[in-house]
Amino acid sequence: MKTRVVTGLFIGAVILAMIALGGWWFTTFVSLMATIAMIELLRMKKISALSLRGIVGLVSMWLLLIPDTLFHSAIPLNVTKVELFLFLILGLLLLTVLTKNKFTFDEVGFVIVSSVYIGFGFHYLILTRAIPDVGVWLVLFVIVLIWTTDSGAYFVGKAIGKNKLWPDISPNKTIEGSVGGIVLAVVVGTIFYMIHPFFSSYIIALCIMLVTAVFGQMGDLVESALKRHYAVKDSGNVLPGHGGILDRFDSLIYVMPILHLLQLL
């Protein structure tokens, strides 16, 4: 527990510092986290990041990750990100032939979905921080809601949790804990909004609180399902006491695209 607390405080301080700095600092930090998370996913499937398929997967993820402005300045070609991404998919499919099916169609699907999952998840995190004037507060608000939901779900679940939420995927989570996490997120989110009302109305803030609290837990379950399927305890070991980067960012990268698709951010 001591190791977990120390690591948690350290990574929390680093994340807050990067959010405050923004700009290239934040983009570089998020890109590093995304790269490690992608490598962790590839390792679950026993795909080396230094193999040809691993490198193509990482390039595909980076392509979806980087902001459009950075892409167009780095790639001086008359091609869109979508077109280049499709080209990489075709390259992965070609590998199934060149390797005589040692690299299978199923693995192609895994690499593509992984690059979309990680790439777009972290892309929208960068995009949110880049919103003028309020980006720093939006990212901080969502992260506080996720941390609060996790804490509320854990402590309420430990105290009064009896009914399992989804035992086949995550046997320790309870319905009572889940509801407790949502309630605490709304309470803390409301206090946050009262101190610094940077939304046009409380209704929008409340919607963000509910979506983040509910889908943040879904994101955690998605990663739990992945780990259970590939029979691993943690996605990695870069964070002592906490596991891997994906273990810590699973809720955030699941929620961010949803908030943007719902046009709440």
Side-chain angles (χ1 to χ4, degrees):
M1 180 58 72
K2 181 180 179 181
T3 301
R4 184 178 177 85
V5 170
V6 171
T7 303
L9 290 174
F10 174 76
I11 190 64
V14 171
I15 290 172
L16 292 176
M18 292 299 106
I19 294 172
L21 287 169
W24 280 98
W25 285 95
F26 187 73
T27 299
T28 302
F29 172 73
V30 170
S31 299
L32 176 61
M33 297 300 100
T35 301
I36 297 173
M38 185 67 184
I39 292 172
E40 290 173 348
L41 261 182
L42 291 171
R43 191 183 296 126
M44 286 187 195
K45 189 68 173 175
K46 302 190 186 316
I47 298 175
S48 170
L50 298 178
S51 66
L52 181 57
R53 51 192 170 174
I55 291 171
V56 174
L58 283 167
V59 171
S60 300
M61 185 278 293
W62 288 328
L63 180 63
L64 299 176
L65 168 71
I66 61 175
D68 292 346
T69 52
L70 182 59
F71 169 78
H72 291 300
S73 62
I75 309 294
L77 299 174
N78 187 24
V79 61
T80 66
K81 288 174 65 174
V82 172
E83 289 169 340
L84 192 52
F85 183 64
L86 288 174
F87 178 77
L88 290 172
I89 292 175
L90 294 174
L92 283 170
L93 291 171
L94 180 61
L95 275 178
T96 63
V97 177
L98 297 178
T99 62
K100 299 178 181 178
N101 263 337
K102 290 181 180 178
F103 180 48
T104 66
F105 191 83
D106 288 344
E107 289 176 313
V108 171
F110 177 86
V111 170
I112 293 170
V113 172
S114 296
S115 63
V116 171
Y117 171 43
I118 301 297
F120 272 131
F122 283 102
H123 168 82
Y124 282 108
L125 180 58
I126 294 173
L127 200 64
T128 302
R129 178 58 185 88
I131 297 174
D133 301 324
V134 296
V136 60
W137 295 109
L138 290 174
V139 172
L140 186 60
F141 186 59
V142 174
I143 287 179
V144 166
L145 291 175
I146 288 173
W147 287 350
T148 302
T149 303
D150 287 346
S151 299
Y154 175 78
F155 288 111
V156 173
K158 289 280 286 185
I160 61 173
K162 294 181 180 179
N163 300 290
K164 299 298 182 181
L165 178 65
W166 213 290
D168 292 336
I169 298 298
S170 187
N172 294 325
K173 288 182 171 57
T174 63
I175 295 175
E176 292 84 358
S178 177
V179 173
I182 294 171
V183 171
L184 187 60
V186 171
V187 171
V188 172
T190 300
I191 294 172
F192 194 115
Y193 175 79
M194 291 173 65
I195 295 173
H196 189 63
F198 50 92
F199 294 107
S200 58
S201 72
Y202 175 72
I203 297 299
I204 294 176
L206 180 61
C207 288
I208 292 175
M209 295 175 211
L210 293 174
V211 169
T212 301
V214 172
F215 286 97
Q217 294 184 68
M218 293 299 103
D220 184 60
L221 287 171
V222 166
E223 206 237 344
S224 294
L226 271 171
K227 292 190 293 186
R228 184 167 289 272
H229 178 72
Y230 291 108
V232 296
K233 183 179 182 294
D234 296 312
S235 66
N237 55 12
V238 297
L239 301 174
H242 288 263
I245 294 300
L246 192 55
D247 292 316
R248 295 278 61 84
F249 284 85
D250 53 1
S251 297
L252 187 61
I253 64 174
Y254 194 83
V255 162
M256 277 300 181
I258 294 174
L259 289 172
H260 276 270
L261 289 170
L262 294 176
Q263 298 185 358
L264 291 171
L265 294 180

